[in-house]
Amino acid sequence: MPISIEMTAATAGMESATLVRWLKAEGDSITEGDVIAEVETDKAIMELTAPAGGVLGRIDVPDGTDEVTVGRVIGWLLAPGEDASALPSTTANPPAAAAPAEPEPKPEPTPAEAAAAMPAAPAPSPAASAPQPASTSRPFASPLARRIAKERGIDLTTLTGSGPRGRVVRIDVEDLEGQAHLGQALPGQALLEHSGMRKTIARRLTESKQTIPHFYLTLDCAMEALLEVRSTLNARGEKAKQPYRLSVNDFLIKAVAIALQEQPAVNVSWQETGLLQYTHSDISVAVATEGGLITPVIRKAEEKTLVNMAAEVADLASRARAGQLPPSAYQGGGFTISNLGMYGIKEFSAIINPPQAAILAVGAVEQRPVVKEGELAVGQQLTLTLSADHRAIDGAVAAEFLACLRDLLENPLSVLV
Amino acid sequence: MPSKERLEALAPWCVLESTTTDWTGTNAKHLGTLLTSMQIIRAFEEAVLELVGKGLVHGPAHSSIGQEGGAVGSILALRASDQINGSHRGHHHFLGKALHYLMPDGMDPANPINPDIQTLLTRTLAEIMGLAQGFCRGRGGSMHLRWDEAGVLGTNAIVGGGVPMAAGAAWAHRHAGTGDVAVTYFGDGAANIGSVLETMNLAAAWKLPLCFFIENNQYAVSTEISEVTAEPRLSSRGQAFGIPAWKVDGMDPLAVNLAMEEAVATMRRGDGPTIVEADVYRFFHQNGPLPGSAFGYRTREEEDAWRARDPINRVAQQMIDQGMIDQTGIETLNTAARDAMQEATEALVDSSGEKPAIREHLWPSADFRDAHIRGDLTEFEGVRYVEQEDYTGNLESRRFVDTVAEVMHRRMSQDDRIVVMGEDVHRLKGGTNGATRGLSEDFPDRCLGTPISENAFAGLGGGIAMDGRYRPVVEFMYPDFMWVAADQVFNQIAKARHMFGGDSAMPFVLRTKVAMGTGYGSQHSMDPAGLFATSPGWRIVAPSTPYDYVGLMNSALQCEDPVLVIEHTDLYNARFPSPTNDLDYFIPLGKAKVVRKGSAVTVISYLSMVERCCTAAEALGVDAEVIDMRSLDRAGIDWDTLGESIQRTNNVLIVEQGPLGTSWGGFLSDEIQRRFFDWLDQPIQRVLGGEASPSISKVLERAACADVEEVEEGLRNVMAAQGRPLPANAN
């Protein structure tokens, strides 16, 4: 009997992915575990492995198909001795029918259970905790949207609805209509198709800004001492057996990791069922890539040495830029640092990365006039802006955290112990 | 010890009995007419019961066998131009008046049937069987028999329901000064219902030539009259209202005739209404061919005793005794009547098959179902329609309510047919709100203050409208009062044209005002639009400006159908540019008006909410198209205007002020989704008050009604649901 190859979920809660290309052709022999196709999720490109051995009998979903639903059959493996006549017809396998069944509803935990579970609970992955439209056997769409889609041959299952409960409304099909007529853009215009990653960023940040009550705290740090320590260490690092070079950002990550341990009230996540408290300082570091922003996670940063951490950050950043981060590398952080200092940005306010409750926006270290003991002087200054979720963190708590962070940065030796 | 003085009722009340000399002094022709008419009715009723037994009559057939003496004895005292109506047991009234109309000079027992009578019998039987050739095209059936030409206004299936309508006919007779009278027949069961008692009071107060003819057949279905009233002599009701009354043995047709002669003379003299109570007996049960004793509520002995006093035998025996006819003559009459019914039955029933069946081609066409719910509006041919944009007359700033009074004054000065009635409309400088200011001064006989009897005066208005000589404008001080007048408003006025076959007009204007916001509380704050919209027959207009009020009131008064004109207390004292020198233009029924152009959502509203919708749209900067519906009934929905807008905006918000239960938008949203489903980008949204009727407490009343804030919320919702949420700080 032929074996179906299905789109599998790379992460919990993943609903669909783009099938970038097949690495095998129809008729190729395949061993179980062979990489047979490349799949792009909203965060990374992944490899799809064969669920069994055999001959690739038929490809149902061609290269470059967007939003292939998890569970949808994308191809068939034939056992030895079978030929294509053993394959089911393609119409017998509509994508909707192959969609995963809705999971059984879980009973709500009692408050006591929820509280007891909290400290040990693993950090939720963003995908799992972000609100998702309920899995349905058909897309909700307004009558008008359905009529327009039918007239223009648009597959409603490929759309994300803007209406209540994810209902596809006119604006959604008309936006798509604009994309479909890319070649007809007016002179001086070009309509660039959204990547899956772009859509995810748009959706999650919109949701964040609309649902999380942000507040912002800003303070300046004197960086002379830290720059001096960094300079001393880097001079030694050049000559070390394993050479290293520390950035200001590495100090920052380490300082934040320590500050989070000292102010655990900031190392939290707002959940409808309760406040999730993280044990470790798992710090997401924003990395700009060609496709968009991605945030690999430095786990247990409070336990790592500066040197080890610097190496890890460099590795994650380069893999991220290559689009090769596995989901496990960018899921589950508890706090995000976004640093635009390298562009000379003095200060900015960042949007919280849900379900986290805070993000630190870091500007450039620069020389600024400062007043020291009544005298005007030139100082090396860094401006930090913390965005916090007021549902989870009160202003005074966040201020204490930020003050603690400044203290660590201004007394950098404390970061080393 | 206090002293007491016995009080006497103002009106006389007597028992009238015939004497031997009355009988011997009555000529053969008169008695022959009594006999012939009763015998034809008896034969007719027996034929109906036979058809009932064969399953050929759908629905009830309430036989009058045994009661012919009351109907025929009284009708012979009338003239052709007098009018009657009757109850669910009305075959004998209908036939009695129709026969008298066809044979005004009397009937001959030796030659009882002629072609006209044969046609009458066949068409009446056809109506009872629901066939197209019936007097009401088969719509009315046994309980709704109307032949306007013969003076039968229509029998009625609601106990007492026809009584106020008959008062309307009597009012028209009196106002026209013709000396004609109206007679309303009803049974003992109706003697205790509000419609009858309210109408007695009103008719007496206004001295209407209306005879309340009570056929006391002793039983309301199975309930004996003495079980349900402490005064079973039902003519006593006249004592309460100052109406002269006669009690008479209904099994003695001559006594009935003599009593009725006196009653008619009283009415023709202008002395107001009369009551005649005839004690009669139906030989059968409420309906069908079995005697009442078969159902156990009365005995065979009682039935036998009444049957022994059969009114037909009474007249026949008297005529035989006086040598006016012999037994052969009686047989000849009976045979002729039976043969006529045989002929009528054969015309309608095919007995050639295994079982007798109604001849197939005689049924009305099923597509006749909804015909004549309303008139065809041909009465509007040639009228001058002018919208405000095209108006060339003067517009001055006036209070809305001043225009209400002025346009009515203008119409009444131009059209003598218009008569205004309602509580206090003739006093207080134009009623409680000034809406009838100046009318009673200039038209004292056409601006009538009524007793607080909405059911009676609404029905009286309906009777005037159906009569056709005058055009009533009835005011309900508050719309909630329609509940106490519900039978007349919905069962009678709304249904009359359709139920009686489509030939009768109902040019009735009902004015009322929505008073939400005045603190009058749960029983004075409804918006009647939704409820009236459920009632086929009613047209509804709800003007939001004085300019539209004039045009729509002119159309309401022109229309041959009942029109509800809804006003609003919020608008009454507001100032608007109002027409002053030309109050004669019309605005079409069924024409909405786009008062604000837009493309993001079609906002549908009416009356005082129209302005609020515009205000909210401006405040939020929403590109909303606001449509003032103006006409609100099912036939008056302007689908051209709505459809054009909805297909362009793809989103609908229906805005009403009042509560959910009786709201108007429900039926409209149902219609919209069926017509425009494929153009909708979201479910039809609505703005409404709460579930409860508004309370008196100012805070609770505000919470129960929609206002600008609720409209804004509705607009936000409707924009958010199309993926275009408004910024939180819009406004």
Side-chain angles (χ1 to χ4, degrees):
Chain A
M1 229 182 114
I3 296 164
S4 63
I5 306 168
E6 295 172 1
M7 174 62 73
T8 51
T11 60
M14 178 186 124
E15 289 198 317
S16 62
T18 301
L19 200 164
V20 180
R21 63 189 174 109
W22 285 90
L23 301 173
K24 302 283 183 184
E26 289 181 1
D28 285 359
S29 288
I30 288 166
T31 309
E32 183 177 345
D34 277 0
V35 175
I36 52 174
E38 270 183 14
V39 168
E40 184 186 3
T41 71
D42 49 15
K43 287 289 187 188
I45 293 176
M46 293 185 315
E47 293 164 338
L48 197 71
T49 54
V55 172
L56 185 55
R58 192 176 72 211
I59 288 172
D60 283 356
V61 175
D63 291 359
T65 305
D66 277 338
E67 311 230 0
V68 180
T69 318
V70 169
R72 180 170 168 188
V73 173
I74 59 174
W76 294 88
L77 289 168
L78 296 171
E82 285 180 342
D83 62 26
S85 66
L87 293 170
S89 72
T90 47
T91 52
N93 177 41
E102 207 160 342
E104 289 285 308
K106 295 194 179 96
E108 291 280 313
T110 65
E113 283 168 354
M118 237 192 291
S125 72
S129 58
Q132 298 287 337
S135 170
T136 54
S137 58
R138 68 175 180 87
F140 290 136
S142 75
L144 176 67
R146 230 175 290 156
R147 185 169 65 86
I148 294 173
K150 190 178 174 190
E151 283 170 5
R152 302 178 184 178
I154 298 167
D155 179 2
L156 287 171
T157 60
T158 63
L159 303 182
T160 306
S162 306
R165 295 178 292 279
R167 182 192 304 141
V168 175
V169 293
R170 175 177 59 175
I171 208 169
D172 302 316
V173 281
E174 287 188 343
D175 279 2
L176 196 84
E177 183 67 359
Q179 293 173 31
H181 292 82
L182 191 62
Q184 297 171 14
L186 295 173
Q189 296 178 342
L191 197 55
L192 307 174
E193 202 168 342
H194 297 311
S195 65
M197 188 165 173
R198 192 78 249 150
K199 286 182 187 169
T200 301
I201 291 168
R203 178 172 59 76
R204 299 204 45 220
L205 293 184
T206 303
E207 172 208 322
S208 169
K209 197 71 171 163
Q210 284 178 350
T211 63
I212 298 178
H214 287 61
F215 70 91
Y216 309 95
L217 301 179
T218 302
L219 55 65
D220 297 333
C221 304
M223 297 296 281
E224 287 87 351
L226 190 142
L227 290 176
E228 197 177 324
V229 168
R230 171 176 173 259
S231 168
T232 307
L233 288 175
N234 281 346
R236 295 178 63 85
E238 278 178 29
K239 300 165 199 157
K241 203 188 291 175
Q242 299 252 315
Y244 59 84
R245 183 175 167 78
L246 301 173
S247 67
V248 171
N249 204 47
D250 296 329
F251 280 87
L252 257 169
I253 294 169
K254 185 68 184 174
V256 166
I258 295 168
L260 285 174
Q261 293 299 311
E262 298 205 359
Q263 297 289 338
V266 176
N267 196 15
V268 295
S269 166
W270 170 267
Q271 304 285 317
E272 290 304 324
T273 47
L275 195 66
L276 206 58
Q277 172 75 60
Y278 301 121
T279 306
H280 294 290
S281 300
D282 294 340
I283 297 174
S284 307
V285 180
V287 175
T289 73
E290 212 168 281
L293 190 72
I294 193 159
T295 53
V297 183
I298 314 296
R299 296 183 199 280
K300 300 187 181 176
E302 80 279 13
E303 294 176 359
K304 291 180 175 162
T305 67
L306 266 175
V307 172
N308 289 347
M309 212 175 59
E312 188 179 342
V313 170
D315 172 56
L316 285 170
S318 67
R319 280 161 64 200
R321 291 192 185 101
Q324 285 168 349
L325 280 184
S328 59
Y330 55 77
Q331 291 180 351
F335 184 97
T336 298
I337 297 173
S338 178
N339 190 338
L340 294 178
M342 60 288 261
Y343 302 106
I345 299 300
K346 184 181 175 192
E347 60 177 290
F348 68 102
S349 302
I351 298 172
I352 294 168
N353 179 22
Q356 297 174 4
I359 184 168
L360 187 70
V362 182
V365 178
E366 59 184 8
Q367 291 192 338
R368 292 183 208 158
V370 293
V371 178
K372 281 182 184 165
E373 293 165 5
E375 296 289 327
L376 195 59
V378 175
Q380 293 283 352
Q381 292 275 303
L382 170 67
T383 303
L384 300 175
T385 302
L386 182 76
S387 307
D389 178 353
H390 213 316
R391 296 173 304 177
I393 303 169
D394 285 335
V397 171
E400 278 178 36
F401 168 79
L402 210 50
C404 172
L405 184 60
R406 177 167 65 180
D407 186 55
L408 288 166
L409 292 174
E410 292 186 349
N411 300 284
L413 291 177
S414 59
V415 175
L416 301 176
V417 295
Chain B
M1 277 284 283
S3 71
K4 292 183 197 170
E5 184 188 348
R6 185 177 173 81
L7 293 176
E8 298 292 333
L10 298 174
W13 179 29
C14 65
V15 174
L16 183 148
E17 290 176 348
S18 66
T19 61
T20 310
T21 51
D22 291 326
W23 282 96
T24 53
T26 304
N27 65 36
K29 177 141 193 164
H30 197 59
L31 292 178
T33 301
L34 271 177
L35 180 68
T36 306
S37 183
M38 287 195 293
Q39 187 59 52
I40 290 173
I41 293 169
R42 175 70 58 91
F44 182 93
E45 293 286 63
E46 286 172 348
V48 169
L49 288 184
E50 198 179 324
L51 290 168
V52 169
K54 290 175 180 168
L56 295 172
V57 177
H58 190 58
H62 305 99
S63 102
S64 62
I65 292 174
Q67 299 189 189
E68 300 90 343
V72 175
S74 57
I75 282 166
L76 289 192
L78 303 178
R79 60 193 186 200
S81 53
D82 292 331
Q83 294 174 318
I84 69 157
N85 71 4
S87 69
H88 60 288
R89 190 180 317 285
H91 302 171
H92 55 323
H93 309 132
F94 180 84
L95 287 172
K97 184 70 165 78
L99 287 168
H100 191 41
Y101 170 72
L102 291 175
M103 308 295 290
D105 298 326
M107 300 177 78
D108 178 3
N111 188 18
I113 306 295
N114 66 22
D116 285 346
I117 293 174
Q118 185 63 52
T119 301
L120 167 70
L121 296 174
T122 306
R123 286 190 68 198
T124 309
L125 190 62
E127 184 60 43
I128 290 168
M129 294 168 78
L131 306 180
Q133 65 189 279
F135 279 93
C136 302
R137 299 194 168 111
R139 277 235 185 83
S142 164
M143 299 191 286
H144 309 297
L145 296 165
R146 174 177 161 89
W147 187 17
D148 188 34
E149 178 191 326
V152 186
L153 299 170
T155 62
N156 209 295
I158 298 294
V159 169
V163 174
M165 305 284 278
W171 187 92
H173 295 323
R174 179 178 161 85
H175 194 73
T178 58
D180 291 333
V181 305
V183 183
T184 182
Y185 291 92
F186 56 91
D188 47 281
N192 302 311
I193 204 167
S195 291
V196 171
L197 298 169
E198 285 186 20
T199 305
M200 283 181 174
N201 179 63
L202 182 55
W206 288 2
K207 291 214 174 306
L208 304 183
L210 173 62
C211 176
F212 298 88
F213 194 101
I214 308 170
E215 290 184 294
N216 185 350
N217 71 8
Q218 324 300 322
Y219 293 92
V221 188
S222 66
T223 303
E224 205 179 340
I225 185 64
S226 59
E227 294 179 82
V228 293
T229 176
E231 174 49 281
R233 300 170 300 172
L234 301 177
S235 44
S236 67
R237 306 298 189 255
Q239 300 286 288
F241 302 109
I243 303 175
W246 290 257
K247 184 170 171 60
V248 63
D249 177 11
M251 307 309 264
D252 177 346
L254 185 63
V256 174
N257 187 243
L258 293 170
M260 195 66 180
E261 292 281 4
E262 291 185 11
V264 169
T266 301
M267 294 187 285
R268 294 215 204 283
R269 273 202 308 273
D271 287 349
T274 57
I275 294 174
V276 176
E277 176 192 8
D279 281 321
V280 293
Y281 202 76
R282 55 170 154 81
F283 293 168
F284 292 90
H285 177 54
Q286 165 79 353
N287 67 74
L290 294 173
S293 56
F295 297 85
Y297 58 85
R298 62 193 199 193
T299 63
R300 282 296 293 270
E301 289 71 28
E302 180 186 302
E303 288 173 352
D304 289 346
W306 282 92
R307 275 182 179 276
R309 300 175 57 234
D310 188 320
I312 295 178
N313 292 346
R314 174 86 191 258
V315 175
Q317 192 59 50
Q318 195 72 39
M319 289 180 74
I320 291 170
D321 290 351
Q322 290 183 230
M324 295 170 177
I325 198 168
D326 58 13
Q327 198 58 46
T328 312
I330 301 287
E331 289 302 325
T332 303
L333 170 62
N334 292 355
T335 304
R338 272 200 293 272
D339 288 351
M341 288 316 300
Q342 183 67 28
E343 188 180 329
T345 303
E346 279 172 10
L348 307 177
V349 175
D350 177 4
S351 302
S352 64
E354 200 173 307
K355 281 172 66 180
I358 289 169
R359 296 183 189 277
E360 202 58 39
H361 68 282
L362 300 179
W363 290 108
S365 166
D367 63 10
F368 187 57
R369 181 188 67 185
D370 291 340
H372 308 303
I373 288 174
R374 313 163 186 86
D376 57 10
L377 301 183
T378 49
E379 64 270 27
F380 285 90
E381 278 170 20
V383 307
R384 180 169 61 98
Y385 292 121
V386 186
E387 293 288 348
Q388 187 163 349
E389 297 72 33
D390 307 319
Y391 181 70
T392 54
N394 290 335
L395 290 171
E396 289 174 19
S397 174
R398 298 265 183 97
R399 296 187 314 151
F400 192 114
V401 73
D402 295 335
T403 300
V404 172
E406 279 163 23
V407 68
M408 191 58 68
H409 193 281
R410 169 69 182 166
R411 289 280 71 74
M412 290 178 82
S413 70
Q414 298 291 301
D415 186 346
D416 289 341
R417 298 175 305 166
I418 296 171
V419 50
V420 170
M421 62 182 71
E423 291 145 3
D424 299 300
V425 294
H426 62 315
R427 295 267 161 74
L428 305 175
K429 293 187 178 170
T432 50
N433 293 91
T436 51
R437 182 190 292 261
L439 305 185
S440 61
E441 291 82 351
D442 293 344
F443 316 105
D445 61 339
R446 290 192 286 137
C447 182
L448 309 175
T450 62
I452 303 172
S453 312
E454 282 83 4
N455 202 46
F457 72 75
L460 185 145
I464 294 174
M466 213 165 167
D467 176 85
R469 284 173 286 182
Y470 303 100
R471 309 215 128 194
V473 178
V474 171
E475 176 182 311
F476 283 171
M477 194 184 285
Y478 290 88
D480 311 65
F481 302 168
M482 73 175 192
W483 296 119
V484 300
D487 176 46
Q488 295 303 316
V489 170
F490 298 113
N491 263 328
Q492 311 295 343
I493 293 166
K495 293 177 184 170
R497 179 195 283 268
H498 180 262
M499 181 174 83
F500 288 124
D503 293 330
S504 54
M506 182 59 81
F508 180 103
V509 173
L510 178 60
R511 286 183 46 244
T512 194
K513 66 186 181 217
V514 176
M516 269 180 266
T518 60
Y520 268 73
S522 306
Q523 296 174 331
H524 285 66
S525 301
M526 83 176 290
D527 174 349
L531 214 90
F532 275 76
T534 67
S535 178
W538 277 99
R539 297 181 187 273
I540 309 166
V541 297
S544 63
T545 67
Y547 184 88
D548 284 357
Y549 187 92
V550 170
L552 290 169
M553 178 52 85
N554 284 336
S555 288
L557 287 166
Q558 182 76 8
C559 189
E560 295 292 344
D561 294 320
V563 182
L564 171 68
V565 180
I566 307 177
E567 301 160 15
H568 200 298
T569 50
D570 278 355
L571 298 175
Y572 274 162
N573 290 316
R575 289 185 167 272
F576 296 84
S578 306
T580 54
N581 59 341
D582 173 6
L583 298 174
D584 298 336
Y585 60 87
F586 292 75
I587 287 177
L589 300 178
K591 186 88 189 87
K593 183 171 185 178
V594 177
V595 296
R596 185 181 192 274
K597 293 291 286 180
S599 62
V601 53
T602 299
V603 178
I604 299 170
S605 195
Y606 58 96
L607 208 62
S608 57
M609 293 307 281
V610 172
E611 182 60 35
R612 289 171 164 96
C613 292
C614 294
T615 302
E618 290 297 329
L620 294 181
V622 173
D623 187 23
E625 179 141 310
V626 178
I627 298 182
D628 180 355
M629 289 300 290
R630 304 199 293 195
S631 286
L632 306 181
D633 56 285
R634 191 174 287 274
I637 300 301
D638 181 355
W639 288 112
D640 292 342
T641 300
L642 274 192
E644 190 282 322
S645 180
I646 293 169
Q647 290 176 60
R648 195 157 36 73
T649 69
N650 308 116
N651 295 280
V652 178
L653 179 67
I654 302 175
V655 175
E656 293 173 77
Q657 184 181 23
L660 175 64
T662 53
S663 69
W664 170 79
F667 105 85
L668 186 67
S669 80
D670 167 58
E671 283 289 334
I672 290 172
Q673 62 89 12
R674 278 188 286 119
R675 289 169 189 252
F676 300 109
F677 184 74
D678 289 318
W679 282 271
L680 293 176
D681 203 26
Q682 63 174 302
I684 295 154
Q685 300 238 22
R686 296 178 61 189
V687 171
L688 294 151
E691 185 179 358
S693 183
S695 305
I696 284 174
S697 162
K698 195 166 187 174
V699 167
L700 295 178
E701 183 189 52
R702 170 63 190 86
C705 304
D707 207 327
V708 174
E709 291 77 9
E710 286 77 7
V711 181
E712 287 185 3
E713 189 189 344
L715 286 171
R716 285 183 183 281
N717 291 341
V718 91
M719 294 309 293
Q722 49 182 293
R724 301 161 67 186
L726 299 179
N729 61 354
N731 189 359

